[in-house]
Amino acid sequence: MEHRRKLFITLVLAITLLGSSCWDRRELDDLAIATAVGIDQAEDPNKLLMTVEIILPQNVSTPGGGGGQGPASLNIQSQGTTPFEAAKRLTFESDKRIYFAHNPVLIFSEEMAKKGILPAFDFFIRDPEPRRTAWMLVAEGKAQDLINVQTILDPITGLYIEQLIESTGAASQIATLMVQGFLERLMSPTTAPYCSIIRIKGKENNKSMELSGTAIFKKDKMVGKFDYKEGRGLLWVLGEVESGIITVPCEKEGNIGLEIIRADAKITPAIIDNTLKVIINITEEGNLGEQECPIDLTAPEAWQSLERKQAEAIRQEVLAAVKKAQELNADVFGFGEAFHRKYKALWKEQLKNNWDEFFPDLEVEVLVEAKLRRTGTTTKPAVPE
Amino acid sequence: MFNLKKLKFLQFLISQKPLKGQQSDKGQGDKRHGLTANLKRNITILKDNLGTSGDIVYHEFTMGTEGRPDASLIYVDGLVNKTVINEFIINPLMLESRSVSEKCGIFPNYNIDVIKNTLISVGGIEKVSTFEELTDSCLSGDTVLLINGLTEGLVISTRGWQTRGVTEPDTEAVVRGPREGFTETLRTNTALIRRRIKSTNLTIETFTIGQQTKTDVAVVYIKGIVNPGLVKEIKKRLKSINTDAILESGYIEQYIEDAPFSPFSTIGNSERPDSVAAKILEGRAAIIVDGTPMVLTVPLLFIESFQSAEDYYSRPYYVSIVRILRFVSFFISIFGPGVYVALVSFHQELIPTPLLITFAAARAGTPFPAVVEAIIMGIAFEILREAGIRLPRPVGTAISIVGALVIGEAVVSAGLISASMVIVVALTAIASFVVPPQADVGGIARVSMVFLGGTLGAFGLMIGFLGGLIHLCTLRSFGTPYMSPLAPLKPLDWKDVVIRFPLWTMITRPSSMGWNNPQRQEIAMMPAPPQDGEESGPAQK
């Protein structure tokens, strides 16, 4: 009896544990690793065109191994009414299963973005394979043209774009968002999503690409675009400025470049005299990066005036972004959420459903506290006196 | 778990056929008998018992001058020290007895005590009166003296055979530490331990096991430190062994171990007197078997595999890093190929993109699935290893060249096996040699993990890992939980697990050993330079 019970328990354990295990074994050589996915509007208005860049591992050069001849990646395309259908149809062209888990960039054409990306977006959220850490991008023009560009710096276009996005922090003029972040904003009743814009640069045989700004969405539709200045204005408010140069003019002629070291921001909603008001407190620290004018800036008065100029420059950038956002009526800053957190009752009763009416007329006050810390490795300007 | 019916059938078979040893012993009755006063008759019985092997010498002679008693020396040629026999036994008995006997009148009223006490100048003489004792000591290298007219014989200790010297052991090599290793001779080995522990409490208890081999087995422990229950249990288990041959300590190990069905050994072995001495000093007991330099120590803890004698001779900082390295290596040696196979054939999303591309480039064009590759390479490695051990030394170099070229280079350039798999297998192979005591387990576990990883992915690896962990936690070695002090958790013993604490912090002996005598040293032992006002060494101005 004891014996049978032991056997029974062992069997039950074996079946329940092993039976539920990973059955979907797939060899690495049976996978086509996708490194860029582009969604375009197909000629048939009901269909979309999916362009996927897949890696050809045998052509990827490895140190010592040499690597084969020919391109390191291949672009394949298919059409479908939904992305999932198109993805499945990709196998008509590829002898391997398309593997989305490593896809670093998801590119929508501007046309698609303006029409609304929601129908095409769901697959990339729901399916377990594509990651939510992929970067969202809008392509000026067609996404397929962009993916077709042969980049020289990195033979794999998708990885090249990923690197472009990940190094935006150096200038902090373009706001970037992953699929996850985009989704969070998309699901908020008021906060507007945004993502980077990318475009082809150069002509015919000398094509390259560059990030050209930040696309602003209203719900799932792209409504406008922030340029570099407005882009940094947005990042100031979000507190996501990592580094960059603030250029302020000298007293007479020439410019002074100030490097941003760290920055932070705080949004305080307030209701003053029955009007909604938002106070943005920005604290920033910078270094003197370069100067063209022959003034000794290490003198305390000059230093303080420079700090004031720096603060004013930041304020202008933020105000430009706010102005543009209010024109587009897209709350990319998350002011609505701030009011929601502070004035819950009021939010429920009045603001929530009428935010589109409140937002364009919102009074915004920008307070900047900017500090300068160091002058670099020299205290005197490198200019003849 | 064994089928009881089968066991009973086995017992039935055994009861029908007595063990070979008992069967071949002719003249059992005579053997038990005592000696007679007739030398001739005694010799005949002895010859009957011992047989007529060429190496057994029956040396008959007459003591003293004429009319004095006949005597006979029986010994095994090659096991005895001839000089001792010639100078200190035959010489006094044949020649010196003449002058002695005339003055003192030993003969004709001789008796065994007079001869034992006055004539033979050899240390270690015993009186024996049965044939059984006689033959046993004769075969162990002692010399037997029988004298006509006496019903007792003398066993004279003349053991002295060709032995290997005390050399540096090949296993457990150290950079800093003694170079001595155990030898094949039991007495030398006990001496090596006693030289390190000059304590009156060091106890060496000897047993004889094996009906044919009559192997000497010694249990060594320190009274007062060892848990008395442990010694009792060891003796009980040793006494229960009833077999014809004990040729190596591995025989003993397999007869007395706690978990014969586990791949993990629950009895430790060492070739180093210093590490055995250290283990005895912690409250363990050692079992030394004549004929092998491998000395057993019980109880064994899992973590002992990760400790080396040198850990305690070097300063603790680097040692602790090396300890961690050993744990990591052990994990690599078990999970290396399994994890690689699971990642490459199930969980490609877990690999960073650039690495995945490299893997994919390496795997492009190879004909086998990753799991088959891992098995092929695993088998190839085991073949190489085994061949390297068994082949004669001069051929061994050929093996390494062929192995390095064929396995390392050719399979990759021929496109049979991916380069990344070769790297994984090579790394695993090297890692498996970092923890030699668990190398056997590593081999078995590695194969299982490749199967689990290749069929069930990371889930299978988790099942394998947890199964192994549960199994380890169920093991006991002579009453001590195998995973102690990890499980059951004994924080006080953690001073010697992952991080080797300085020696002056190791105040207590390991509590896992039963803690008969917990305190090892004084509490305030931390060395420090003298403070102001204290007496200092060299005068400073």
Side-chain angles (χ1 to χ4, degrees):
Chain A
M1 210 48 218
E2 181 67 17
H3 230 71
R4 279 198 181 172
R5 238 181 75 174
K6 267 185 187 168
L7 194 76
F8 178 72
I9 290 171
T10 319
L11 258 174
V12 166
L13 278 179
I15 291 167
T16 50
L17 286 179
L18 305 186
S20 63
S21 60
C22 315
W23 43 268
D24 53 344
R25 192 172 75 92
R26 52 206 174 192
E27 284 299 322
L28 195 49
D29 17 356
D30 299 333
L31 298 180
I33 302 160
T35 49
V37 175
I39 309 279
D40 282 307
Q41 182 65 53
E43 282 171 22
D44 179 347
N46 290 325
K47 285 192 171 173
L48 47 83
L49 178 70
M50 188 183 224
T51 311
V52 176
E53 184 193 35
I54 57 171
I55 293 178
L56 303 173
Q58 64 272 23
N59 288 349
V60 175
S61 63
T62 48
Q69 305 297 310
S73 65
L74 178 77
N75 298 334
I76 54 175
Q77 285 187 323
S78 72
Q79 292 194 8
T81 43
T82 64
F84 207 178
E85 191 188 349
K88 291 287 177 194
R89 282 189 184 168
L90 284 169
T91 49
F92 294 168
E93 192 182 341
S94 164
D95 65 334
K96 297 172 177 178
R97 200 168 84 77
I98 310 295
Y99 188 58
F100 286 103
H102 280 269
N103 174 38
V105 287
L106 176 58
I107 307 166
F108 288 96
S109 69
E110 204 174 341
E111 190 189 353
M112 278 288 291
K114 283 181 173 156
K115 218 178 111 186
I117 61 161
L118 199 58
F121 193 56
D122 189 73
F123 165 67
F124 297 95
I125 312 277
R126 194 173 301 278
D127 195 79
E129 212 172 87
R131 287 190 196 186
R132 294 185 183 186
T133 53
W135 295 102
M136 282 289 292
L137 283 157
V138 166
E140 278 183 28
K142 290 202 164 188
Q144 57 167 323
D145 296 339
L146 190 89
I147 295 175
N148 280 330
V149 171
Q150 276 288 323
T151 47
I152 297 159
L153 290 170
D154 193 323
I156 301 161
T157 311
L159 299 184
Y160 172 73
I161 298 174
E162 185 189 19
Q163 280 306 313
L164 284 187
I165 292 184
E166 281 172 0
S167 51
T168 50
S172 296
Q173 289 182 319
I174 290 161
T176 59
L177 215 53
M178 288 178 175
V179 169
Q180 174 67 30
F182 195 91
L183 175 68
E184 281 165 16
R185 285 171 167 262
L186 192 63
M187 292 174 77
S188 155
T190 57
T191 311
Y194 58 87
C195 71
S196 321
I197 301 175
I198 192 162
R199 71 173 172 214
I200 299 169
K201 194 183 178 189
K203 293 214 173 66
E204 286 308 312
N205 291 325
N206 192 20
K207 278 184 185 167
S208 164
M209 53 183 76
E210 66 169 358
L211 296 171
S212 60
T214 307
I216 305 299
F217 285 73
K218 175 86 180 168
K219 303 290 176 199
D220 67 321
K221 291 183 181 61
M222 179 175 163
V223 290
K225 183 185 160 182
F226 275 12
D227 61 12
Y228 294 143
K229 186 185 175 188
E230 291 153 355
R232 185 145 81 198
L234 169 60
L235 291 175
W236 283 122
V237 180
L238 298 175
E240 284 174 12
V241 173
E242 284 172 36
S243 181
I245 299 295
I246 300 167
T247 310
V248 295
C250 287
E251 301 281 331
K252 288 165 189 163
E253 58 182 24
N255 289 307
I256 298 169
L258 303 169
E259 190 191 2
I260 305 160
I261 313 170
R262 59 184 73 89
D264 202 3
K266 193 171 173 245
I267 300 170
T268 315
I271 298 173
I272 297 167
D273 299 336
N274 255 342
T275 51
L276 300 180
K277 188 176 176 182
V278 171
I279 302 157
I280 303 169
N281 284 292
I282 295 172
T283 49
E284 190 259 4
E285 283 176 39
N287 285 345
L288 178 58
E290 54 188 350
Q291 76 175 96
E292 292 173 354
C293 39
I295 305 164
D296 184 5
L297 288 169
T298 51
E301 303 80 41
W303 195 248
Q304 278 160 12
S305 97
L306 199 57
E307 283 182 340
R308 281 195 295 277
K309 279 182 185 171
Q310 184 190 11
E312 184 55 30
I314 294 169
R315 210 173 88 85
Q316 289 308 320
E317 286 181 350
V318 174
L319 287 176
V322 170
K323 187 169 167 253
K324 186 70 169 283
Q326 285 179 331
E327 277 172 20
L328 299 172
N329 197 2
D331 180 12
V332 281
F333 308 102
F335 293 154
E337 293 291 342
F339 274 102
H340 184 184
R341 277 193 287 272
K342 196 167 176 184
Y343 304 103
K344 287 189 193 71
L346 184 72
W347 175 261
K348 256 188 181 170
E349 286 162 20
Q350 296 179 31
L351 298 180
K352 188 181 177 185
N353 296 320
N354 305 315
W355 186 246
D356 282 352
E357 287 154 35
F358 284 106
F359 180 71
D361 304 323
L362 202 63
E363 198 180 319
V364 176
E365 192 180 342
V366 183
L367 302 171
V368 182
E369 192 190 342
K371 289 262 187 294
L372 277 174
R373 292 298 180 199
R374 281 167 286 272
T375 61
T377 52
T378 177
T379 50
K380 292 264 189 298
V383 196
E385 284 180 33
Chain B
M1 297 296 260
F2 243 137
N3 201 329
L4 266 177
K5 274 182 190 167
K6 267 188 193 167
L7 256 177
K8 276 192 178 146
F9 180 65
L10 250 167
Q11 274 177 343
F12 170 74
L13 277 183
I14 290 165
S15 65
Q16 296 297 299
K17 231 191 268 174
L19 276 178
K20 273 183 185 168
Q22 290 158 0
Q23 201 178 30
S24 63
D25 271 336
K26 285 173 190 166
Q28 264 185 25
D30 287 338
K31 215 178 159 186
R32 300 252 161 78
H33 278 211
L35 288 164
T36 62
N38 185 339
L39 179 64
K40 288 261 157 53
R41 194 176 136 69
N42 284 344
I43 296 282
T44 320
I45 294 168
L46 255 183
K47 277 190 176 168
D48 194 34
N49 276 345
L50 285 170
T52 49
S53 304
D55 59 339
I56 297 172
V57 177
Y58 301 90
H59 181 93
E60 288 171 41
F61 62 97
T62 311
M63 292 167 68
T65 47
E66 268 178 67
R68 302 284 150 70
D70 287 335
S72 189
L73 279 178
I74 301 110
Y75 57 85
V76 180
D77 199 13
L79 289 186
V80 294
N81 187 337
K82 277 277 180 60
T83 323
V84 174
I85 294 183
N86 293 339
E87 301 262 328
F88 306 108
I89 302 175
I90 299 180
N91 191 35
L93 287 175
M94 282 173 77
L95 303 177
E96 287 169 18
S97 64
R98 298 178 190 184
S99 52
V100 174
S101 62
E102 274 155 24
K103 285 174 198 159
C104 311
I106 294 174
F107 307 112
N109 298 325
Y110 58 90
N111 68 44
I112 198 84
D113 286 320
V114 173
I115 292 167
K116 180 184 166 218
N117 295 339
T118 62
L119 274 174
I120 298 166
S121 47
V122 177
I125 309 182
E126 274 176 50
K127 288 190 286 185
V128 291
S129 53
T130 65
F131 282 104
E132 193 180 7
E133 288 172 275
L134 244 156
T135 48
D136 282 357
S137 41
C138 183
L139 291 173
S140 311
D142 291 336
T143 300
V144 172
L145 173 66
L146 294 179
I147 298 163
N148 194 18
L150 297 179
T151 55
E152 280 177 309
L154 289 181
V155 168
I156 306 155
S157 173
T158 54
R159 294 184 191 191
W161 51 79
Q162 289 300 313
T163 57
R164 195 169 60 95
V166 175
T167 52
E168 188 174 3
D170 285 335
T171 63
E172 301 170 81
V174 295
V175 176
R176 179 174 180 173
R179 299 275 185 267
E180 282 180 334
F182 285 121
T183 71
E184 278 75 7
T185 313
L186 177 75
R187 209 31 82 210
T188 316
N189 293 350
T190 53
L192 283 172
I193 291 178
R194 200 174 280 280
R195 259 191 50 214
R196 283 176 173 74
I197 308 172
K198 300 178 190 69
S199 159
T200 48
N201 290 330
L202 181 73
T203 312
I204 301 173
E205 284 189 64
T206 315
F207 303 83
T208 306
I209 305 176
Q211 284 153 2
Q212 297 288 351
T213 58
K214 299 205 168 47
T215 311
D216 287 328
V217 176
V219 177
V220 185
Y221 57 89
I222 297 179
K223 225 187 311 172
I225 292 177
V226 77
N227 187 341
L230 173 68
V231 178
K232 211 173 131 193
E233 179 64 23
I234 293 171
K235 284 194 213 161
K236 199 184 109 194
R237 293 193 193 181
L238 283 180
K239 277 176 187 154
S240 71
I241 302 175
N242 183 12
T243 177
D244 65 337
I246 299 292
L247 292 178
E248 214 270 345
S249 51
Y251 281 52
I252 299 275
E253 178 181 346
Q254 289 165 57
Y255 284 121
I256 65 171
E257 67 186 340
D258 290 68
F261 291 110
S262 169
F264 291 93
S265 170
T266 50
I267 293 177
N269 64 66
S270 173
E271 218 178 329
R272 298 186 58 86
D274 52 331
S275 54
V276 169
K279 288 185 182 194
I280 292 174
L281 285 164
E282 282 190 341
R284 292 185 184 83
I287 302 170
I288 310 178
V289 179
D290 193 30
T292 176
M294 308 309 293
V295 171
L296 305 178
T297 54
V298 285
L300 176 77
L301 307 181
F302 182 65
I303 52 149
E304 274 179 63
S305 316
F306 301 91
Q307 299 166 344
S308 141
E310 205 176 349
D311 291 0
Y312 307 93
Y313 306 148
S314 308
R315 298 182 69 244
Y317 310 103
Y318 182 62
V319 166
S320 301
I321 295 174
V322 173
R323 278 271 171 92
I324 295 166
L325 204 67
R326 287 191 198 125
F327 281 102
V328 171
S329 302
F330 181 65
F331 269 87
I332 290 177
S333 76
I334 287 180
F335 292 102
V339 167
Y340 174 78
V341 167
L343 286 183
V344 170
S345 42
F346 286 100
H347 314 290
Q348 290 91 355
E349 63 272 10
L350 286 179
I351 311 172
T353 313
L355 187 63
L356 182 75
I357 295 169
T358 313
F359 277 168
R363 294 223 4 99
T366 54
F368 304 113
V371 59
V372 177
E373 268 187 4
I375 291 169
I376 292 175
M377 287 305 285
I379 292 173
F381 167 68
E382 292 296 333
I383 292 174
L384 272 179
R385 198 177 76 104
E386 190 63 16
I389 296 170
R390 307 292 163 217
L391 272 177
R393 290 261 149 95
V395 196
T397 45
I399 282 296
S400 50
I401 292 167
V402 169
L405 280 180
V406 173
I407 306 300
E409 194 61 41
V411 283
V412 176
S413 47
L416 291 176
I417 306 283
S418 64
S420 42
M421 177 54 86
V422 172
I423 294 165
V424 168
V425 169
L427 178 70
T428 310
I430 297 167
S432 70
F433 292 120
V434 174
V435 188
Q438 299 291 358
D440 299 6
V441 183
I444 299 165
R446 188 156 58 240
V447 176
S448 331
M449 288 303 163
V450 167
F451 270 108
L452 284 170
T455 52
L456 310 176
F459 183 78
L461 292 179
M462 283 318 291
I463 290 182
F465 175 68
L466 290 176
L469 208 62
I470 291 169
H471 173 67
L472 276 172
C473 290
T474 61
L475 287 182
R476 289 245 180 315
S477 171
F478 282 80
T480 304
Y482 196 51
M483 287 302 272
S484 146
L486 308 171
L489 190 69
K490 290 179 177 169
L492 212 55
D493 288 7
W494 272 65
K495 53 188 180 280
D496 195 15
V497 180
V498 180
I499 289 180
R500 204 278 275 170
F501 280 64
L503 288 180
W504 42 265
T505 61
M506 298 195 185
I507 292 154
T508 54
R509 298 194 171 87
S511 60
S512 319
M513 294 299 125
W515 252 13
N516 188 27
N517 184 356
Q519 194 172 354
R520 167 149 52 188
Q521 63 190 19
E522 281 303 313
I523 289 167
M525 293 264 287
M526 186 176 87
Q531 299 297 306
D532 286 347
E534 274 182 53
E535 286 276 314
S536 65
Q540 286 173 2
K541 285 174 187 174

